[in-house]
Amino acid sequence: MPALIQTLFDGPLDIVGDVHGEIGALRSLLSLLGYDEDGSHRQRRRLVFLGDLTDRGPDSPAVVDLVRTLMDAGRAQCVLGNHDLNILLEHRKPENQWFWGEPFLDELGQVAPQVLASSAARERISDLFRTLPIALVRPDLRIVHACWDDRMIGVARDAGDTLHLYERHRQQIEREIDAQQLDEVDRSLLHQNRSPVKLLTSGPEERTSEPITSGGKVRYEQRVRWWTNYRGALCLFGHYSLADGESRGNDSAYCVDFGVGKRWQERRAGKTSGFMFRLAALRFPEMQVVFDDGETRAA
């Protein structure tokens, strides 16, 4: 299996945030960035995807097939996201039912229109996700889906298979839990924060003082904005679906996820254009953000 920490392309890059099955937004964005249909670019730029290619949007199989084609041509790289990991682990979630050929029902029981995966598509998708690294690195730039943690990167660097690394640490954490008397929240936090695969693909969490509702569930864990204290080579990441105006980084870190994974909610409400939630790419080294609707801004 390929290494879990791999070398990032050299030269100028366009780093694309979480796509979440939004194939139309992705094609629009690539065209605006100057890529031909085959993924070539007249300025010899290349693409890097921050993971979470699938779920929620209308056509996850098409997104995966496009990214796979670009990767096979040497024109793109991609890291593993937490939604991709759930498919690898065969963890069924309401939003990934398309993978098993079943419709996505929202909280009102309404079907969100999606292309359902065939058995051949499931095999192609699983094969690709099994080969994706957890992080990409070069001296001036770091790419990860959710969180950069030096210690966990070191652990992952010595591993060659995501599923084996995940299972080994899951068993170690279970043994630690068995030796202590922990409530359900602390058990969940141990699995989240002590697993290199979980931490790097979905970020650190902490206990909340009051219950919060997320994804229709009451939780006592919340995400930690780790990037506020991060210092090091520039790290670009996705995952957090931050709205316009939210603080999304500092001089050393920047979140490129502008929430296109929530676009299905706007579409369900009847919207067909002018979406609030958008797909974006950060151009490096220019540090310019380009959106699928054509807007550009400095990061």
Side-chain angles (χ1 to χ4, degrees), residues 3-4 10 22 32 39 73 128 132 155 160 162 208 221 249 256 283 290:
L4 297 187
D10 58 10
E22 293 287 348
L32 287 164
L128 177 64
L132 293 182
V155 173
T162 300
T208 63
E221 309 93 16
V256 193
R283 313 206 86 168
V290 180

Side-chain angles (χ1 to χ4, degrees), residues 112-181:
Q114 291 179 313
V115 171
L116 305 183
S118 64
S119 58
R122 285 194 287 275
E123 185 174 353
R124 292 197 307 272
I125 292 164
S126 294
D127 287 347
L128 177 64
F129 289 173
R130 187 72 181 266
T131 67
L132 293 182
I134 292 179
L136 295 163
V137 188
R138 73 187 204 189
D140 59 341
L141 190 58
R142 296 168 170 176
I143 302 291
V144 71
H145 179 67
C147 173
W148 187 275
D149 180 280
D150 286 330
R151 187 174 70 85
M152 293 300 192
I153 289 289
V155 173
R157 195 182 297 276
D158 293 332
D161 183 89
T162 300
L163 295 181
H164 292 166
L165 180 64
Y166 173 88
E167 182 60 21
R168 186 171 80 244
H169 283 268
R170 187 194 67 79
Q171 293 179 11
Q172 290 175 356
I173 293 165
E174 284 294 326
R175 288 194 293 269
E176 183 176 347
I177 289 172
D178 290 343
Q180 305 178 55
Q181 290 188 347

